[in-house]
Amino acid sequence: MTGYLLRRIAQAVVVVVLVATIAFFLIHLAPGDPFAAAVENPNVSEGVRAHWRDAYGLDRPLPEQFVRYIASVTKGDLGWSFSLQRPVLDVLADALPHTLLLMSIALTASFALGIFLAITQVMKRGSATDRIISGVSLLFFSTPEFWLALMVIVLLAYRFPVFPIGGMVDPVTHSSLGPVFRIVDVARHTVLPALTLTLLFSAVVARYQRASLLDVLPSEYITTARAKGVPERVIVRRHALRNALLPVITLFGLAFPALLTGAVYVEKVFSWPGMGLVIVNSIDTRDYPLLMAAVIIGSILVTAGSLVADLLYRAFDPRLRHEG
Amino acid sequence: MTEPLLSVENLRTWFHTGDAVAKAVDGVSFSIGSGETLGIVGESGCGKSVTALSILRLVQQPGRIESGSRIMFEGKDLVTLDDAAMRDIRGNRISMIFQEPMSALNPVFTVGDQVAEVARIHGHGSRRDAWNRAVEMLSLTGIPAPEERAKEYPHQLSGGMRQRVLIAMALIMNPALVIADEPTTALDVTIQAQILELLVDLQKRFGTSILMITHDLGVIAETASRVVVMYCGEVVEEAEVDTLFAAAHHPYTEGLMHAMPQLSEPRARLNVIPGSVPAPTDWPSGCRFRDRCPYSWERCEREHPPLYEISPTHTSRCHLAVEPEHRANPHPPLVEQLGVSV
Ligand SMILES: Nc1ncnc2c1ncn2[C@@H]1O[C@H](COP(=O)(O)OP(=O)(O)OP(=O)(O)O)[C@@H](O)[C@H]1O
Ligand code: SF4
Ligand SMILES: [Mg+2]
């Protein structure tokens, strides 16, 4: 097991370094740069732009820039964000926890709700309940993210103003609140974006989980369980679910990076100060250091997601556990 | 004769698929006494497994037990029993052993857990008690080091060991009837013999009745006292095992006998019955064995044979019972005359 983990981690490091390298060159070779007229104020003279490029080393040969970048990253310095005029690390320190908060709630709720819905459907397969849940989840499944976010706002922030319309805290009162009420304030602001994401994700999870449960139910060992006198509810929840989790675990591994990379449209609609917005901004402004940091974080999370999925497979399927 | 333990009366289990109806089991009747082993034999697709599943009411959609079917067990009709009462019977009063021990065991639970689950559902003891009973059963079925084995997963055991696990699972509640659906077909020849021996041994010990389903008359010879021969969803012959081997009446049974591998004969000369089982959506009219039968005559085409009584303990669904003279001059079966490939 330890050997396996070390091997996987070594693989992950190689992948992240490769991705970072390729991304570095692609980003720098793409047309434009942080000080191009399309990005910066077009009235700034070409001489000033040249000065900035010189100051940030952007006029040096690309391989040299790359070596300098790697050197500074290994020292723990992720560089300076041109667009926000702050250290990249500071930007991340602000945005990452916000995204982590929103996404961990949304993902946990989505998988719990999605699996629960699928079990309910499969227990009553073919019934009206099954068909209604399938219909509704198909609806959410095919709804664009921003549209759903807007609908949630219209309904629960505007028509029935139960929750705040956006942001993460109340800009006026938050700083004057006591510690408990600060938490309540954040929680109230989290509800709508988390709800939007949960409606979207749980629909996907429910569809996957239902299909894979229905795949497993005709298995012979399910007939064996029925022949033992196991009640149908236990058949589905215990005997079938454990075998039907694998596709959903794969889905979880794929969703894992979103924990830190966030969800662009939902963050935008709800003005949630998270990574999704930071990443979009860094692309718009050709903010090389910030964009590179996002790429590195993203690729670390992608490899971590696949490792987490693998460990979960092993936890749920003893046949994989006994392979070296 | 005393009241039989199980009596299946006119069982019809049909699969309603689209516009066709597959009459997999089409009017089957037989009964099993207490402590008796009844064999059911027949080629692949003749409805043996569907009969077995019907008894425990485990046939899944689109299969349906048609009205008019009765399965009397301990004074109750299993066809109309409510679901909760049916669950009380499954694994407890009637249990089942399946053909493929690997796919019949859930890959993600330990074998001990799967055996103990039966006791947890039907017993009244604690989890601990159920586990201990499971280990005890595993040991009774001849699994060495049962305490360690109980903690292993199906894929860690050999085929023979897995089948012992299924037997332990089937016997843990000391049921009145065990349905064994081809319990040895998937196993090596040497293991087959061991497993059959074990079943017979445990049966004597617990006084269990066994419904032994197989396509292998050899298995019947070793385990059963009475045998039902099935063809095309019907019972075509029923007799004491000795009678059947000495004086089979139905031409289909004769064919099965000829197809039996003989120790004295090389395997290459195995005789098979020409042709194959017709599709269950389209049973032939008249005698369903007609096209493959070397004695068939005009009556066989016109009239579906009833179960004729050959002796008080022997029945056969063949017109030869009333017109035995047709046995004198066999002819190549119709399938061969038509040049249908065998
Ligand atoms: N789910 C189903 N849908 C449609 N037809 C079915 C279904 N299950 C079984 N049948 C039909 O019922 C017939 C009898 O099948 P059954 O499994 O009882 O045969 P068997 O005698 O057990 O054969 P084998 O020796 O291969 O196990 C088959 O011809 C099959 O086509
Ligand atoms: S009834 Fe006729 S066709 Fe059928 S088995 Fe007897 S002799 Fe053969
Ligand atoms: Mg079968």
Side-chain angles (χ1 to χ4, degrees), chain A residues 44-308:
Chain A
V44 173
S45 80
E46 199 45 48
V48 174
R49 293 177 200 281
H51 170 75
W52 281 339
R53 288 187 185 115
D54 176 57
Y56 289 111
L58 292 175
D59 51 356
R60 315 222 177 165
L62 211 42
E64 186 190 334
Q65 290 187 44
F66 180 65
V67 172
R68 283 164 172 266
Y69 179 69
I70 294 295
S72 83
V73 169
T74 45
K75 273 182 275 168
D77 179 7
L78 290 176
W80 178 264
S81 161
F82 305 135
S83 65
L84 300 173
Q85 290 298 312
R86 320 165 49 190
V88 168
L89 270 175
D90 287 3
V91 177
L92 297 183
D94 279 349
L96 279 178
H98 299 166
T99 291
L100 189 61
L101 172 72
L102 175 60
M103 296 311 286
S104 56
I105 292 172
L107 284 185
T108 310
S110 301
F111 278 85
L113 179 64
I115 292 172
F116 170 79
L117 286 175
I119 290 174
T120 311
Q121 286 184 277
V122 167
M123 291 279 293
K124 304 186 171 174
R125 50 193 170 278
S127 72
T129 313
D130 181 16
R131 282 197 299 273
I132 289 168
I133 297 177
S134 277
V136 172
S137 71
L138 181 62
L139 190 71
F140 285 123
F141 187 73
S142 43
T143 307
E145 202 177 316
F146 69 92
W147 172 257
L148 185 64
L150 286 174
M151 289 302 108
V152 164
I153 287 184
V154 167
L155 191 67
L156 292 173
Y158 181 71
R159 184 75 188 76
F160 304 102
V162 195
F163 294 105
I165 199 161
M168 203 176 139
V169 295
D170 190 314
V172 182
T173 59
H174 189 78
S175 51
S176 58
L177 294 172
V180 174
F181 285 97
R182 281 184 183 205
I183 292 174
V184 172
D185 187 35
V186 171
R188 270 170 42 80
H189 282 81
T190 315
V191 171
L192 292 191
L195 175 69
T196 307
L197 290 168
T198 303
L199 288 177
L200 285 165
F201 293 164
S202 62
V204 183
V205 175
R207 296 183 72 76
Y208 266 73
Q209 186 67 81
R210 177 178 181 276
S212 98
L213 277 170
L214 290 180
D215 263 1
V216 164
L217 279 177
S219 306
E220 228 180 284
Y221 55 79
I222 297 296
T223 308
T224 309
R226 291 202 177 102
K228 296 199 296 193
V230 180
E232 194 64 20
R233 122 191 84 80
V234 183
I235 297 262
V236 174
R237 276 191 224 151
R238 182 174 139 83
H239 291 257
L241 185 61
R242 271 291 291 274
N243 286 280
L245 275 177
L246 296 194
V248 178
I249 291 173
T250 308
L251 198 62
F252 182 76
L254 293 175
F256 196 76
L259 278 176
L260 291 191
T261 54
V264 174
Y265 290 110
V266 169
E267 290 184 10
K268 198 148 196 146
V269 175
F270 289 98
S271 323
W272 188 266
M275 280 302 286
L277 289 186
V278 168
I279 293 171
V280 171
N281 264 339
S282 67
I283 295 171
D284 286 349
T285 58
R286 297 274 150 48
D287 194 337
Y288 295 159
L290 194 50
L291 192 48
M292 275 307 295
V295 167
I296 291 173
I297 290 171
S299 60
I300 290 174
L301 267 275
V302 168
T303 54
S306 104
L307 180 59
V308 167

Side-chain angles (χ1 to χ4, degrees), chain B residues 250-252 287-291 293-297 299-301 303 305 317-320 326:
Chain B
H250 200 284
Y252 177 64
C287 175
R288 293 180 182 177
F289 188 55
R290 196 179 69 229
D291 288 354
C293 181
Y295 311 114
S296 62
W297 70 98
R299 179 175 184 175
C300 309
E301 186 176 346
E303 192 184 334
R317 196 181 285 284
C318 173
H319 294 310
L320 286 173
H326 288 281

Side-chain angles (χ1 to χ4, degrees), chain B residues 44-45 47-50 99 181-182 213:
Chain B
S44 188
K48 305 182 298 290
S49 295
V50 174
Q99 170 172 344
D181 188 358
E182 314 246 12
I213 295 175

